[in-house]
Amino acid sequence: MSILMNASGAFCTTTEELKALNDTPETCAIVSKSCTLHSHKGNPQPHVYHDQYGGSINNSGLPNPGYKYYHQLCNTFTKPYIISVAGFTIEDNRTILQHLAKDPSPSYIEFNLSCPNIPGKAQVGYDPEALFKYLTIIRQSYPKPYGLKLPPYLDNAHIVQTANIINSFKPAFITCCNSLGNGLIIDQTTKQPALKSLGGISGIYLKPTALGNVYSFRRLLSQDTNIIACGGIKNAKDVIEYLQAGASYIQIGTQLIKEGPKCFNRINKELNISLH
Ligand code: DHB
């Protein structure tokens, strides 16, 4: 049984990409690009930069065709289909959720509380009052299974506080975690910032933090809430470590962007060798 899927934002904006992920035998589900109420252009390219050490930085600025594009794909795929929702305002989110609650609905929503790349917009996952408010709106507007995409937490007190709030809503899963916001990578060939601005840091730099977050949340959250791990997973060793920390499923972002959907076949083969 596969436990691998793409991370939102990696190879999942167009129907063709989502179909390719669906048709990759080693994926167990597919996740859409985070979507807003209306289509959104995002930042000028480049959106992602990979450094020589296995780290990456992204700042796409939420380019997406709008939630309706992903909603109308609900009956297209043979695998569980997860729509990532990241409306710009509470009211936008309420509208999106109310529409997605009408059949056909996706298998799950992954509610994104942690986009680090929208200037002037604080990440909801870092603000306990805002988190409670958003979870209340999800409860009111979306009576179907959902998960939460959390930011990486750097202080155990914040993890405990967040887990307590999440336990009073019992989502089906959390995805742990998004990239580490406001990072900078300087490209040593140009001596300039690799992107036009700061961005979310992922890949090898994120892994120990994400692994620690998975481990801590698994010990604090209700067993009704599964943990999908995300953060610097590039091979079977990384997958196994996240399972040992308490994850049930695995999302691949940086490595999928670098290697394409064939990474799922490679990692699955490595897992079959390691686990037998
Ligand atoms: C983008 C980045 C994120 O980490 C996220 O959760 C949503 C959107 C982006 O820059 O497009």
Side-chain angles (χ1 to χ4, degrees):
M1 187 200 79
S2 172
I3 53 165
L4 308 176
M5 68 187 91
N6 67 295
S8 178
F11 201 84
C12 62
T13 300
T14 65
T15 306
E16 289 65 38
E17 288 172 331
L18 291 165
K19 277 190 176 153
L21 291 173
N22 182 68
D23 295 345
T24 298
E26 300 80 15
T27 59
C28 67
I30 55 179
V31 189
S32 80
K33 169 74 183 166
S34 288
C35 58
T36 50
L37 183 57
H38 303 295
S39 67
H40 185 69
K41 201 159 172 302
N43 296 332
Q45 297 274 4
H47 287 164
V48 184
Y49 174 88
H50 298 270
D51 76 8
Q52 67 202 98
Y53 307 107
S56 71
I57 181 165
N58 73 83
N59 190 342
S60 310
L62 214 37
N64 78 92
Y67 83 93
K68 284 184 184 157
Y69 179 89
Y70 296 114
H71 195 189
Q72 48 99 21
L73 292 176
C74 274
N75 283 331
T76 308
F77 306 113
T78 53
K79 292 181 181 168
Y81 175 41
I82 303 173
I83 297 184
S84 171
V85 173
F88 285 123
T89 66
I90 285 207
E91 277 320 308
D92 284 5
N93 281 311
R94 200 194 300 273
T95 307
I96 296 169
L97 292 172
Q98 284 169 350
H99 279 89
L100 291 180
K102 292 182 202 149
D103 288 333
S105 289
S107 315
Y108 299 92
I109 276 174
E110 183 183 82
F111 200 85
N112 188 347
L113 300 166
S114 51
C115 174
N117 293 339
I118 303 301
K121 201 170 167 279
Q123 291 181 57
V124 174
Y126 286 140
D127 177 344
E129 276 177 32
L131 176 63
F132 189 87
K133 204 160 154 184
Y134 269 77
L135 288 169
T136 305
I137 280 158
I138 301 172
R139 178 182 272 169
Q140 289 165 351
S141 315
Y142 196 77
K144 294 183 175 176
Y146 70 91
L148 305 171
K149 177 91 172 256
L150 299 177
Y153 296 94
L154 305 180
D155 183 334
N156 188 56
H158 296 158
I159 296 182
V160 171
Q161 187 177 40
T162 304
N164 284 339
I165 296 170
I166 291 175
N167 274 338
S168 56
F169 290 88
K170 296 224 171 61
F173 65 90
I174 61 162
T175 303
C176 202
C177 48
N178 210 320
S179 54
L180 192 52
N182 290 295
L184 178 64
I185 293 181
I186 299 194
D187 180 345
Q188 286 307 307
T189 52
T190 63
K191 318 284 185 224
Q192 299 293 324
L195 301 180
K196 289 189 181 62
S197 58
L198 304 186
I201 300 291
S202 301
I204 200 158
Y205 304 127
L206 181 60
K207 193 189 141 193
T209 300
L211 194 61
N213 275 227
V214 167
Y215 184 88
S216 301
F217 274 113
R218 184 63 288 156
R219 276 147 190 80
L220 292 163
L221 287 182
S222 155
Q223 291 301 320
D224 301 337
T225 300
N226 276 307
I227 299 186
I228 305 182
C230 184
I233 295 154
K234 60 186 179 321
N235 56 32
K237 173 180 169 287
D238 296 324
V239 172
I240 290 167
E241 285 175 23
Y242 274 105
L243 297 179
Q244 289 167 342
S248 300
Y249 297 91
I250 299 290
Q251 289 186 355
I252 305 196
T254 294
Q255 191 61 33
L256 170 58
I257 295 171
K258 262 165 102 166
E259 189 179 346
K262 66 181 192 302
C263 71
F264 292 108
N265 176 272
R266 175 184 56 78
I267 294 171
N268 196 52
K269 270 196 201 143
E270 292 173 8
L271 277 171
N272 287 336
I273 294 166
S274 314
L275 297 173
H276 289 109

